[in-house]
Amino acid sequence: MNPTALEQARSLLAAGDLASAEAALRAHGDQPDCAVALRELLVAERRDDEAASIAAAMAKGSDPEAAVSRSLLAFQRGDLPAALRESQAALAQAPGLATALNHAGRALHNAGRTSEAVRAFQQAVQSAPSYAEGWASLGHAQRATGAMEASLEAYRNALDRSPGLTQVRHNLGITLYHVDQPAKALAEFDRVLSDDPDHAGALVDGALTLMLIGRLDEAQARLERALETNPDLALAHLYLGQLHNELTATDTALVHLRRSAELDPTDVETWIELTGVLEQSNRENEAIEALRQGFAADPQHPGLHLEGAKLERRRNDSEAAVRRLRGIDSRSLTPRVAQQYWFELGLNLDRAGQPDAAVDAFGRGNALARQGPRSRAMDPRAFEARCAALDAWLASGLPGARPDPADSEAGRGLAFLVGFPRSGTTLVDTTLATSPQIDALEEAPTLDRVIRALEQSTPPYPEALATLDTQQVAECRQRYAEAVRTLLGRAPGDLLIDKMPLRFLHAGLIQRLFPAAKLVFVARHPCDVVLSNFMQQYAVNETNIHFDTLTNAASTYTRIMGLWARLETALDLPALTVRYEDLVDDLPGALAPVCNFLSVDPDSVSFRRDDRLATRDRVRTSSYAQVAEPIYQRASGRWQSYRSHLAPFLDALRPHAERYGYDLNP
């Protein structure tokens, strides 16, 4: 035995120098203790073929570690009973042998005897507390039982003894992700990548973590790097599909999801995501086929049943959807899927005429959304700070909102389509966009780029408007034009409709930059708006995080609409209001004055559902399902069914209702 070589390797492992430790063990591989240490190191690092090569050389002997090696070889060929017998034979010769206990635990774990496996791993580390690989195995088994805190402790014990074990660090990151600690998880994945920039698992799981916290550009870069290393990595294709789905880049999402399905047809998550993208893209028959293939892989998977419920809702069979959803144990769902579950259940309960149960379901979904990492990353004070800045600017007389008379033609051929979220702007947008006279941008960051630049000014926006000179105004217009050109892929034609619901709060900026532009405001009954926003599962931002309860949704509505009432009165921007209820009652009739206001030939606009859908590969808002259906009146006056829930807010909403000609009577 050469203890000096083994001690040197252990010292290198303790220092985190895995490569040098491995080299030292290989250099003395003829020594049994070094061979055992190398074998265990390779097993922990998931380098199975190399570990098998070491084990095969050791398995010919009659000593306990030879039996452990035979156990490893049996495990790798899938013969779990033989793997367990060999480990037990080693323990019969050397009771308490840590490596034998570890490999017995591995066989038990893979055989589904997880509680026995945990006990074996615990005995292994009790026998040899410095045995990092045993601690790693314990962490893995504990995570499988749901004992996440114990799992984290075990992984950390392994890394305390051998910080260079990249697979253990990777597993620590995965566990941190599952206990909703994305920042700590990302730190572990990054540390793995600092040692091995091409570590596929750390690239993919780090990307998933970045997606969770909304850093999509960084996530995409990591997934693309993973595919450069291994173009057939199914999981990377799945996550890229999910990422592009979130970005509503439908065609790209489908390419990756279909490739993931080709590479691993048994992966249910791929079929779930593929079904969802196809359903949202109004490709119902393809969605049904994807769902069928998913059920072939796992007939009981709750995520597939959730997608099935969405398709049943689309077919107006909400009672069947509710039955399907009630059959899912929501406690078994991850937080992300549970959010979808509760919102989907709420939508179907609403359609099934069960308002009280629907409010409960939406409340649960919103509570989960509120606890999510993206919501927690939002500053809850930011929305009110922006409103307060506009208040102060209004109080001082809107300095800087008045355009230069020489700019009177700026903005001709430009219209902003606005309204409180869930008021019908998407219906107007997709219908008008059928006209060849119109280019339309749907909720795109155009004016936002100008606002961000002005927010860096001293004083910041909106006070910055009072300090702008002619050159700076021209630069703002140029920044806007460049954003439009980038998003359209060309310069716009005769009329550009730029739709962003809450952009009416920036009407003062619009007036200063584009005094000839027009504003189309879509109004809807305040009670229906408040209710609808509470019922939506949004991609969170600084405003919609405040729609998480009916109380907050009503308060946010009155805050914003109060501002708009004062802004609209103070500005000279050409504006026209159209009501949602008129749109769903008579879409051509309601849009005729809008077309006249925008100088668009009404005969150039198509009111056919399929033509509206063809204006987008996919509607980029939560309204996609409604746009995909024929025009319906189900959502008009829906609030009356929820009157008891909305009663505390009626007095606050009354002035806004009266302003647009609505009443609050039963």
Side-chain angles (χ1 to χ4, degrees), residues 411 413-417 439-441 444-451 453 472-488 490 492 496-500 503 509-510 513-514 517-518:
L414 174 61
F416 291 91
L417 179 57
D439 286 311
L441 285 172
T446 53
L447 198 67
D448 309 70
R449 300 186 187 185
V450 178
I451 293 168
Q472 289 169 320
V473 168
E475 290 171 356
C476 288
R477 291 191 187 118
Q478 182 61 28
R479 186 174 282 112
Y480 178 85
E482 288 171 356
V484 168
R485 190 177 297 109
T486 298
L487 290 159
L488 283 178
R490 55 178 171 77
L496 173 68
I497 293 181
D498 188 345
K499 173 214 163 187
M500 181 69 83
R503 196 164 278 160
L509 173 62
I510 292 170
L513 299 182
F514 306 113
K518 295 179 179 179

Side-chain angles (χ1 to χ4, degrees), residues 26-360:
R26 287 189 183 278
H28 298 87
D30 57 334
Q31 301 296 328
D33 284 354
C34 288
V36 169
L38 179 59
R39 181 194 68 198
E40 298 301 290
L41 175 64
L42 294 169
V43 168
E45 287 294 284
R46 301 286 300 275
R47 292 159 62 182
D48 294 340
D49 290 345
E50 295 172 77
S53 176
I54 301 294
M58 298 176 65
K60 299 171 184 176
S62 58
D63 60 288
E65 287 294 353
V68 173
S69 290
R70 291 192 293 272
S71 174
L72 185 153
L73 294 169
F75 180 90
Q76 289 197 2
R77 64 175 181 266
D79 189 349
L80 300 179
L84 186 56
R85 283 197 305 272
E86 291 291 354
S87 293
Q88 290 170 337
L91 289 167
Q93 294 182 66
L97 180 64
T99 54
L101 288 163
N102 184 38
H103 287 271
R106 295 177 74 223
L108 289 164
H109 180 68
N110 275 35
R113 297 161 62 180
T114 309
S115 59
E116 295 175 75
V118 169
R119 286 195 294 271
F121 295 137
Q122 287 172 334
Q123 291 170 13
V125 296
Q126 288 167 4
S127 177
S130 63
Y131 183 27
E133 295 84 356
W135 284 108
S137 296
L138 176 59
H140 194 62
Q142 288 171 322
R143 185 173 71 197
T145 67
M148 304 304 254
E149 291 303 322
S151 174
L152 289 171
E153 182 180 0
Y155 285 134
R156 287 173 175 139
N157 278 329
L159 291 169
D160 285 344
R161 289 151 178 80
S162 186
L165 290 172
T166 57
Q167 286 300 125
V168 178
R169 192 168 297 284
H170 180 210
N171 273 301
L172 174 60
I174 291 171
T175 311
L176 287 164
Y177 173 90
H178 283 297
V179 298
D180 203 19
Q181 297 185 41
K184 291 182 179 179
L186 191 60
E188 299 300 338
F189 297 137
D190 286 348
R191 186 162 173 183
V192 172
L193 292 170
S194 69
D195 295 330
D196 181 3
D198 293 327
H199 192 287
L203 284 169
V204 168
D205 289 317
L208 184 62
T209 307
L210 288 164
M211 288 167 63
L212 180 69
I213 58 179
R215 292 161 60 181
L216 300 186
D217 290 345
E218 296 170 71
Q220 182 175 343
R222 293 197 188 203
L223 291 169
E224 289 173 348
R225 198 163 100 214
L227 288 177
E228 288 173 6
T229 303
N230 180 2
D232 293 335
L233 192 59
L235 205 56
H237 283 290
L238 168 59
Y239 293 155
L240 270 172
Q242 292 177 339
L243 186 150
H244 286 291
N245 180 30
E246 181 167 351
L247 296 172
T248 62
T250 305
D251 290 342
T252 305
L254 289 172
V255 166
H256 285 291
L257 292 171
R258 286 177 168 143
R259 181 59 180 150
S260 178
E262 289 173 5
L263 292 166
D264 187 1
T266 67
D267 183 55
V268 176
E269 294 300 325
T270 296
W271 293 115
I272 291 170
E273 194 74 19
L274 186 55
T275 302
V277 175
L278 290 166
E279 187 265 332
Q280 291 178 47
S281 303
N282 307 301
R283 297 157 79 161
E284 186 175 353
N285 290 336
E286 293 176 72
I288 291 169
E289 175 58 21
L291 185 65
R292 185 192 66 77
Q293 296 193 58
F295 278 130
D298 185 351
Q300 304 304 320
H301 197 286
L304 290 168
H305 282 284
L306 178 56
E307 294 302 325
K310 293 178 184 178
L311 287 166
E312 286 165 337
R313 172 167 55 85
R314 177 182 281 271
R315 294 194 295 270
N316 293 317
D317 193 354
S318 285
E319 290 185 0
V322 169
R323 286 195 300 272
R324 185 190 292 272
L325 291 167
R326 291 296 195 195
I328 297 174
D329 181 1
S330 63
R331 296 169 299 180
S332 69
L333 305 177
T334 65
R336 173 177 175 267
V337 178
Q339 276 187 57
Q340 296 179 44
Y341 168 85
W342 287 112
F343 277 104
E344 184 62 31
L345 179 59
L347 290 172
N348 282 286
L349 288 167
D350 170 67
R351 292 196 180 187
Q354 301 181 48
D356 293 342
V359 167
D360 178 70

Side-chain angles (χ1 to χ4, degrees), residues 554-638:
S555 175
T556 303
Y557 179 89
T558 56
R559 183 71 169 102
I560 288 174
M561 293 302 288
L563 270 172
W564 172 236
R566 284 177 284 144
L567 268 170
E568 187 180 25
T569 301
L571 295 171
D572 299 323
L573 201 66
L576 177 73
T577 297
V578 59
R579 300 199 325 169
Y580 170 81
E581 293 77 8
D582 298 331
L583 293 166
V584 298
D585 183 54
D586 177 9
L587 186 61
L591 283 185
V594 177
C595 290
N596 182 60
F597 178 64
L598 298 176
S599 301
V600 171
D601 180 2
D603 292 336
S604 72
V605 176
S606 172
F607 298 96
R608 295 178 61 249
R609 167 186 172 274
D610 290 346
D611 291 340
R612 284 190 289 116
L613 290 177
T615 66
R616 303 285 187 275
D617 66 337
R618 188 165 120 212
V619 176
R620 298 173 186 270
T621 76
S622 56
S623 305
Y624 80 91
Q626 292 92 319
V627 174
E629 296 179 348
I631 302 298
Y632 67 95
Q633 295 181 324
R634 180 175 59 242
S636 293
R638 174 169 53 188

Side-chain angles (χ1 to χ4, degrees), residues 139 315 329 494 540 613 643 651 657:
R315 294 194 295 270
D329 181 1
D494 294 338
V540 299
L613 290 177
R643 189 177 185 89
D651 286 344

